[in-house]
Amino acid sequence: RKPYPSIIIGVRKGGTRALLEMLSLHPDVAAAENEVHFFDWEEHYSQGLGWYLGQMPFSSPHQLTVEKTPAYFTSPKVPERVHSMNPGIRLLLILRDPSERVLSDYTQVFYNHVQKRKPYPSIEEFLVRDGRLNVGYKALNRSLYHVHLQNWLRFFPLHRIHIVDGDRLIRDPFPEIQKVERFLKLSPQINASNFYFNKTKGFYCLRDGGRDRCLHESKGRAHPQVDPRLLNKLHEYFHEPNKKFFELVGRTFDWH
């Protein structure tokens, strides 16, 4: 029967697709195409583990299966469910600057509406209520990394969760991917030559045995222009939560 996968548990708009694509350069990795949403969607979870493993790609005995569902990270019931499947699982969490993640989150939903020719409010309308930062905005909550990670740490020790620096993965992917290889106990097979900078797109693309592939054009979109004062409010809002997060994981990130 199929082995349990390693899971990229989040974070939404953190670079999960880029990470999965880069990992799939490794010959010993079989990556699930789609987000499976097994542990967070009741209609999937109720179908049981057999259904879940059935969603995984075919893999040879020496291969590691990997799936990504970014909603897992912020979903309160997921850590316990993952733990009861496999307490020894290796989890990958990719994070980026929390303010940038909020803007990216908004941008994705905005474009989804544009494609359906539906109107969508400006980001200011979400971020500001009565002249104050609207802390009820869901996208803000998703960027409170320490809150969600604490939920996972009730079930998994920190050394089972490898945190990928999403900002660095985009700027200089190779060193970040090397760390992931080591964490997943994969032989070092991905090389610097697997990445090349695409000037038109403004980010790294992958070279896989002579085949070039870039992330979908929905990735790396320009964020909306935000009033600098509002941006400052955002940065201030995340100042304390970020400090708490750095203390929780014992390392710092180059965030605002």
Side-chain angles (χ1 to χ4, degrees), residues 31-216:
E33 274 295 297
N34 301 319
E35 293 179 6
V36 184
H37 285 285
F38 175 63
F39 297 100
D40 61 330
W41 289 1
E42 296 309 318
E43 66 268 31
H44 288 169
Y45 193 69
S46 60
Q47 299 192 56
L49 211 49
W51 180 88
Y52 177 57
L53 296 176
Q55 306 305 304
M56 294 305 134
F58 285 105
S59 58
S60 25
H62 67 276
Q63 278 184 316
L64 173 72
T65 317
V66 180
E67 76 116 330
K68 76 135 182 139
T69 304
Y72 287 165
F73 181 55
T74 54
S75 187
K77 44 187 144 174
V78 170
E80 185 171 12
R81 289 176 168 185
V82 173
H83 184 267
S84 69
M85 171 184 79
N86 177 15
I89 195 168
R90 286 169 199 279
L91 302 165
L92 293 167
L93 173 62
I94 178 165
L95 301 176
R96 66 196 278 206
D97 183 310
S99 305
E100 292 294 317
R101 201 217 62 78
V102 168
L103 301 181
S104 208
D105 200 318
Y106 167 84
T107 305
Q108 175 170 321
V109 183
F110 172 78
Y111 275 102
N112 290 346
H113 280 72
V114 169
Q115 278 161 355
K116 294 175 186 148
R117 297 195 165 77
K118 285 182 179 166
Y120 199 63
S122 74
I123 188 156
E124 282 78 7
E125 290 176 63
F126 287 103
L127 280 177
V128 183
R129 281 280 148 83
D130 311 319
R132 282 218 175 93
L133 200 62
N134 169 25
V135 296
Y137 179 32
K138 264 213 181 86
L140 282 185
N141 177 278
R142 290 190 193 111
S143 280
L144 295 173
Y145 302 148
H146 71 289
V147 174
H148 304 298
L149 186 62
Q150 270 163 335
N151 200 15
W152 285 88
L153 293 176
R154 287 170 41 220
F155 296 93
F156 295 97
L158 191 56
H159 68 260
R160 289 246 170 253
I161 305 171
H162 176 67
I163 301 169
V164 179
D165 186 328
D167 301 301
R168 281 195 180 163
L169 187 80
I170 298 310
R171 269 200 320 271
D172 186 13
F174 181 51
E176 282 299 312
I177 281 295
Q178 282 182 300
K179 290 175 199 161
V180 175
E181 276 182 328
R182 287 197 289 274
F183 172 74
L184 294 176
K185 298 197 171 356
L186 294 164
S187 57
Q189 298 258 9
I190 301 173
N191 300 304
S193 60
N194 287 124
F195 304 96
Y196 70 96
F197 191 76
N198 182 316
K199 284 197 181 71
T200 344
K201 285 187 177 280
F203 53 75
Y204 278 89
C205 294
L206 312 180
R207 189 163 279 143
D208 192 358
R211 204 166 58 91
D212 291 1
R213 52 195 169 103
C214 284
L215 289 176
H216 190 259

